[in-house]
Amino acid sequence: MILEKTDINDIILLTPKVYYDSRGYFMESYNEKKVAMLIKDRFVQDNESVSHKNVLRGLHFQLPPHAQSKLIRVVKGSILDVAVDLRKDSSTFGKHFKHVLSGENKKQLYIPAGFAHGFLSLEDDTILNYKCSDYYDAKSEASLLWNDPDLSIDWGVLDPILAEKDRMAENFVTFENPF
Ligand SMILES: Cc1cn([C@H]2C[C@H](O)[C@@H](COP(=O)(O)OP(=O)(O)O[C@H]3O[C@H](C)C(=O)[C@H](O)[C@H]3O)O2)c(=O)[nH]c1=O
């Protein structure tokens, strides 16, 4: 497992070792000991979602005390994954990291608590599987607007498929930021 720091504080890009043979491939998709050097979280919940091409889910996060760090991976298909640093004392506050994660490249993204997370599905039937360091708490859920001009995220699309809650999300500069 290769772990790489990124230009956004505490966001880690992981590349697992894949063993290909005549049958297909094998890889350890998660090994707590092998990531412990940079990832100290214990994950308590696994999530899975499937998205059509052009679906955009985000930008979501849970508020303290139920803020979640996440370890994101694509099982099949591909996404443009985006994480926005909401931590006011971070030198990368308000900045975002984006990366294509796919069943092909098998890369994973570690996003600490204090970030908003979203992704654009680049293919039909894209399967996302991700670990969370705290349990789902509906009352703690919050969303920021995917195309907020103050975040200036280039998603590469102007008219994604959105859930109603994501159309109505808050603006970055006016939401009450608890991080
Ligand atoms: C997140 C979650 C949702 N649910 C239920 C609540 C809804 O009835 C249904 C669909 O949830 P939602 O529309 O919030 O799913 P996404 O839009 O994919 O939300 C996720 O998308 C972004 C990208 C994330 O990083 C978060 O994990 C999460 O916010 O599943 C649960 O029962 N448990 C859960 O952990």
Side-chain angles (χ1 to χ4, degrees), residues 45 47 49 57-58 60-62 68 70 72 117-119 128 130 132 135-137 141 163 165-166:
Q45 179 177 314
N47 293 340
S49 65
R57 297 176 187 252
H60 303 162
F61 53 99
Q62 290 195 168
Q68 299 165 311
K70 296 167 188 166
I72 317 274
H117 175 238
F119 66 88
L128 207 70
Y130 55 105
C132 301
Y135 297 105
Y136 174 60
D137 182 78
E141 282 210 299
K165 67 169 186 176
D166 290 342

Coordinates of all heavy atoms in Angstrom, one line a residue, residues 45 47 49 57-58 60-62 68 70 72 117-119 128 130 132 135-137 141 163 165-166, ligand 1:
Q45 N -18.1 2.2 10.2 CA -19.2 2.0 9.3 C -18.7 2.0 7.8 O -17.9 2.9 7.5 CB -20.3 3.1 9.5 CG -21.5 3.0 8.5 CD -22.5 4.1 8.8 OE1 -22.9 4.3 10.0 NE2 -23.0 4.7 7.7
N47 N -20.0 2.2 3.8 CA -21.1 2.6 3.0 C -20.9 2.2 1.6 O -19.7 2.0 1.2 CB -21.3 4.1 3.0 CG -21.7 4.7 4.4 OD1 -22.2 3.9 5.2 ND2 -21.5 5.9 4.6
S49 N -22.6 3.1 -2.5 CA -23.6 3.7 -3.3 C -23.3 3.4 -4.7 O -22.1 3.2 -5.1 CB -23.6 5.2 -3.0 OG -22.4 5.9 -3.4
R57 N -23.0 13.8 -6.0 CA -23.5 13.7 -4.6 C -22.5 14.6 -3.8 O -21.3 14.4 -3.8 CB -23.4 12.3 -4.1 CG -24.3 11.3 -4.9 CD -24.1 9.9 -4.4 NE -24.8 8.9 -5.2 CZ -25.9 8.2 -4.7 NH1 -26.4 8.5 -3.5 NH2 -26.5 7.3 -5.5
G58 N -23.1 15.6 -3.1 CA -22.2 16.5 -2.3 C -22.7 17.9 -2.4 O -23.6 18.2 -3.0
H60 N -21.1 17.0 1.2 CA -21.7 16.6 2.5 C -20.7 16.4 3.6 O -19.5 16.1 3.3 CB -22.4 15.3 2.3 CG -23.4 15.3 1.2 ND1 -23.9 14.1 0.7 CD2 -24.1 16.3 0.6 CE1 -24.8 14.4 -0.3 NE2 -24.9 15.7 -0.3
F61 N -21.1 16.6 4.8 CA -20.3 16.3 6.0 C -21.3 16.2 7.2 O -22.4 16.7 7.1 CB -19.3 17.4 6.2 CG -19.8 18.8 6.3 CD1 -20.1 19.4 7.5 CD2 -20.1 19.5 5.1 CE1 -20.6 20.7 7.6 CE2 -20.6 20.8 5.2 CZ -20.8 21.4 6.4
Q62 N -20.8 15.6 8.2 CA -21.6 15.6 9.5 C -20.9 16.6 10.5 O -19.7 16.7 10.5 CB -21.6 14.2 10.1 CG -22.5 13.2 9.3 CD -22.9 11.9 10.0 OE1 -23.8 11.2 9.6 NE2 -22.3 11.6 11.2
Q68 N -17.2 12.9 10.5 CA -16.6 11.6 10.0 C -15.4 11.8 9.2 O -15.4 12.7 8.3 CB -17.6 10.9 9.2 CG -18.9 10.5 9.8 CD -20.0 10.1 8.8 OE1 -20.2 10.9 7.8 NE2 -20.7 9.0 9.0
K70 N -13.3 9.8 6.3 CA -13.7 8.8 5.3 C -12.5 8.2 4.5 O -11.6 9.0 4.3 CB -14.8 9.4 4.3 CG -16.0 9.9 5.0 CD -16.9 10.8 4.1 CE -18.0 11.3 4.9 NZ -18.7 12.5 4.2
I72 N -12.3 6.5 1.0 CA -13.2 6.4 -0.2 C -12.5 5.5 -1.3 O -11.3 5.7 -1.5 CB -13.4 7.7 -0.9 CG1 -13.7 8.8 0.1 CG2 -14.4 7.7 -2.0 CD1 -15.0 9.0 0.6
H117 N -17.3 16.6 1.5 CA -17.0 15.5 0.5 C -18.1 15.5 -0.5 O -19.3 15.6 -0.2 CB -16.8 14.2 1.2 CG -16.6 13.1 0.2 ND1 -17.4 12.0 0.1 CD2 -15.7 13.0 -0.8 CE1 -17.0 11.2 -0.9 NE2 -15.9 11.8 -1.5
G118 N -17.6 15.3 -1.8 CA -18.6 15.1 -2.9 C -17.9 14.4 -4.0 O -16.7 14.4 -4.0
F119 N -18.7 13.9 -4.9 CA -18.1 13.3 -6.1 C -19.1 13.4 -7.3 O -20.3 13.5 -7.1 CB -17.7 11.9 -5.9 CG -18.8 10.9 -5.6 CD1 -19.4 10.2 -6.6 CD2 -19.2 10.6 -4.3 CE1 -20.5 9.3 -6.4 CE2 -20.3 9.8 -4.1 CZ -20.9 9.1 -5.1
L128 N -19.4 2.9 -5.4 CA -18.5 3.5 -4.4 C -18.6 2.7 -3.1 O -19.7 2.3 -2.7 CB -19.0 5.0 -4.1 CG -17.9 6.0 -3.6 CD1 -17.0 6.3 -4.7 CD2 -18.6 7.2 -3.1
Y130 N -17.1 3.1 0.9 CA -16.2 3.9 1.7 C -16.5 3.7 3.2 O -17.6 3.4 3.6 CB -16.3 5.4 1.4 CG -17.7 6.0 1.4 CD1 -18.1 6.8 2.4 CD2 -18.6 5.7 0.3 CE1 -19.4 7.4 2.4 CE2 -19.9 6.3 0.3 CZ -20.3 7.1 1.4 OH -21.5 7.7 1.4
C132 N -16.3 5.0 7.2 CA -16.5 6.2 8.0 C -16.1 6.0 9.4 O -16.3 4.9 10.0 CB -18.0 6.6 8.0 SG -18.7 6.9 6.3
Y135 N -20.6 6.9 13.2 CA -21.9 6.4 12.6 C -22.7 7.5 12.0 O -22.5 8.7 12.3 CB -22.7 5.7 13.7 CG -22.0 4.5 14.3 CD1 -21.4 4.6 15.6 CD2 -21.8 3.4 13.6 CE1 -20.7 3.5 16.1 CE2 -21.1 2.3 14.1 CZ -20.6 2.4 15.3 OH -19.8 1.3 15.8
Y136 N -23.6 7.1 11.1 CA -24.5 8.1 10.5 C -25.4 8.7 11.5 O -25.9 8.0 12.4 CB -25.4 7.3 9.5 CG -26.5 8.1 8.9 CD1 -26.3 9.2 8.1 CD2 -27.9 7.7 9.0 CE1 -27.3 9.9 7.5 CE2 -28.9 8.4 8.4 CZ -28.6 9.5 7.7 OH -29.6 10.2 7.1
D137 N -25.5 10.0 11.5 CA -26.4 10.7 12.4 C -27.1 11.8 11.6 O -26.6 12.9 11.3 CB -25.6 11.4 13.5 CG -26.5 12.1 14.5 OD1 -27.1 11.4 15.4 OD2 -26.6 13.3 14.5
E141 N -26.2 15.9 9.7 CA -25.8 16.1 8.3 C -25.9 17.5 7.9 O -26.8 18.3 8.3 CB -26.8 15.2 7.5 CG -26.5 13.8 7.5 CD -26.9 13.1 6.2 OE1 -28.1 13.1 5.9 OE2 -26.0 12.6 5.5
A163 N -29.6 15.4 -6.1 CA -30.7 15.3 -5.2 C -31.2 16.7 -4.9 O -30.4 17.6 -4.9 CB -30.3 14.5 -4.0
K165 N -31.9 17.9 -2.1 CA -31.2 18.5 -0.9 C -29.9 19.1 -1.4 O -29.4 20.1 -0.7 CB -30.9 17.4 0.1 CG -30.0 16.4 -0.3 CD -29.5 15.5 0.8 CE -28.4 14.5 0.3 NZ -27.9 13.7 1.4
D166 N -29.3 18.7 -2.4 CA -28.0 19.2 -2.9 C -28.2 20.5 -3.8 O -27.3 21.3 -3.9 CB -27.2 18.2 -3.7 CG -26.7 17.1 -2.7 OD1 -26.7 17.3 -1.5 OD2 -26.4 16.0 -3.2
Ligands
LIG1 C1 -25.1 8.7 4.4 C2 -26.2 7.8 4.9 C3 -27.5 7.8 4.4 N1 -28.4 6.9 4.9 C4 -29.7 6.9 4.3 C5 -30.4 8.3 4.4 C6 -31.1 8.4 3.1 O1 -32.5 7.9 3.3 C7 -30.4 7.4 2.1 C8 -29.6 8.1 1.0 O2 -28.8 9.0 1.7 P1 -28.1 10.2 1.0 O3 -29.0 10.8 0.0 O4 -27.6 11.2 2.1 O5 -26.9 9.6 0.2 P2 -25.7 10.4 -0.4 O6 -26.2 11.6 -1.2 O7 -24.9 9.4 -1.2 O8 -24.8 10.9 0.8 C9 -23.5 10.6 1.0 O9 -22.8 11.3 0.0 C10 -21.6 12.0 0.3 C11 -20.7 11.9 -1.0 C12 -20.9 11.5 1.5 O10 -19.6 11.6 1.6 C13 -21.7 11.1 2.6 O11 -21.2 9.8 3.0 C14 -23.1 11.0 2.4 O12 -23.6 12.3 2.7 O13 -29.6 6.6 2.9 C15 -28.1 6.0 5.9 O14 -28.9 5.2 6.3 N2 -26.8 6.0 6.4 C16 -25.8 6.8 5.9 O15 -24.7 6.7 6.4

